[in-house]
Amino acid sequence: MKLIVIDVQKGITDERLYDFDGFIRNVTNIIDAARKNNVEVIYVQHDDGPGTGFSFGDKDFEIADQVAPKENEKIFIKTINSCFGNNNLANYLRESKEKDLMIVGLQTNFCIDASVKSAFERGYKVIIPKGTNSTFDNDYMDRETTYKYYNDMMWPERFASCISVDDAIKMIEDLR
C-alpha cells in the first residue's frame, strides 16, 4: 500500500473547508500511522502556473505545515486535476507493483475525485478513509453536501472503499 496526500497546500487548507479541524486531525492520524508502519507517504502538489499565485515558489503552493512531508518523502507536482497527470508519479506507482492506494487530501470534487477515478481505471484498489478529504462551498452544493455526495454515494462500491479512519489505520497496521 502507498498513501497519496494530494494538494494539502497552504492556499486552500483553511477554515473554508468542510470540517476543517476534523480533516486535519484525520489526515495527520493517517500520515502518522503510515510512517510508523513503513507505508510510503507520497505528496502531490497542484501547480496552476506562473503568475497565478498558486505555483512553484508561491507561499500558497507550499504544502500545509500541519501535514508537511519528512525529508525522505517523495513530492510530485501536477498541473491537471488527477495526480496521474504527472507521468513520473504514474510510472513510479506502476513500477512499484503496488496495487493498493490510500488517497487523502483536497479537494473532494476536483483533484481527489479525478485521482480516485484515474486510479480505479488503472486497476488500483483505492481506499478513502472518511474525513480525509474536504472541499469548499460551490455554486451548486454546500461543502458538506459535496463531501457526502462523493464519499457516501459516488465512490463507495464503484471506485473506492470508503472506510473509517480507525479501519484505515488498522489496515495500515496489519501490513506489518
Side-chain angles (χ1 to χ4, degrees):
M1 174 183 299
K2 296 199 183 294
L3 174 62
I4 314 288
V5 181
I6 300 174
D7 298 353
V8 186
Q9 293 168 254
K10 290 181 179 180
I12 57 174
T13 305
D14 58 40
E15 295 289 338
R16 295 174 292 170
L17 294 169
Y18 169 64
D19 189 21
F20 173 70
D21 292 331
F23 165 75
I24 292 295
R25 181 180 58 252
N26 292 332
V27 170
T28 301
N29 288 341
I30 292 290
I31 291 171
D32 289 346
R35 288 174 176 155
K36 286 177 190 167
N37 291 281
N38 297 315
V39 170
E40 184 176 15
V41 180
I42 299 170
Y43 288 81
V44 179
Q45 289 173 273
H46 187 84
D47 188 330
D48 276 340
T52 63
F54 206 77
S55 185
F56 187 78
D58 295 325
K59 183 178 179 182
D60 285 348
F61 175 78
E62 296 173 12
I63 296 170
D65 294 334
Q66 301 96 318
V67 301
K70 299 288 185 191
E71 186 175 320
N72 62 336
E73 292 172 330
K74 291 183 177 7
I75 302 171
F76 293 90
I77 297 171
K78 64 181 181 59
T79 57
I80 65 170
N81 285 351
S82 172
C83 67
F84 290 92
N86 179 304
N87 289 330
N88 292 330
L89 173 60
N91 291 336
Y92 178 76
L93 293 173
R94 185 176 53 255
E95 290 169 6
S96 78
K97 307 280 193 235
E98 182 57 61
K99 295 310 280 181
D100 295 344
L101 300 180
M102 190 171 287
I103 296 177
V104 303
L106 300 173
Q107 289 190 54
T108 304
N109 48 326
F110 292 107
C111 299
I112 299 300
D113 182 53
S115 296
V116 164
K117 291 174 179 170
S118 291
F120 173 81
E121 290 170 350
R122 287 169 170 78
Y124 292 100
K125 177 184 176 194
V126 180
I127 300 113
I128 306 291
K130 293 196 177 203
T132 62
N133 63 84
S134 189
T135 195
F136 303 145
D137 290 343
N138 63 63
D139 290 342
Y140 302 98
M141 294 186 278
D142 63 44
R143 59 194 176 179
E144 180 178 6
T145 302
T146 303
Y147 170 85
K148 288 179 178 179
Y149 173 79
Y150 287 94
N151 287 270
D152 297 342
M153 197 283 285
M154 181 58 69
W155 298 329
E157 299 179 33
R158 289 182 184 88
F159 303 105
S161 297
C162 297
I163 62 176
S164 71
V165 169
D166 289 341
D167 287 346
I169 290 172
K170 184 173 181 345
M171 182 182 284
I172 290 169
E173 291 171 345
D174 286 348
L175 294 171
R176 283 189 271 177

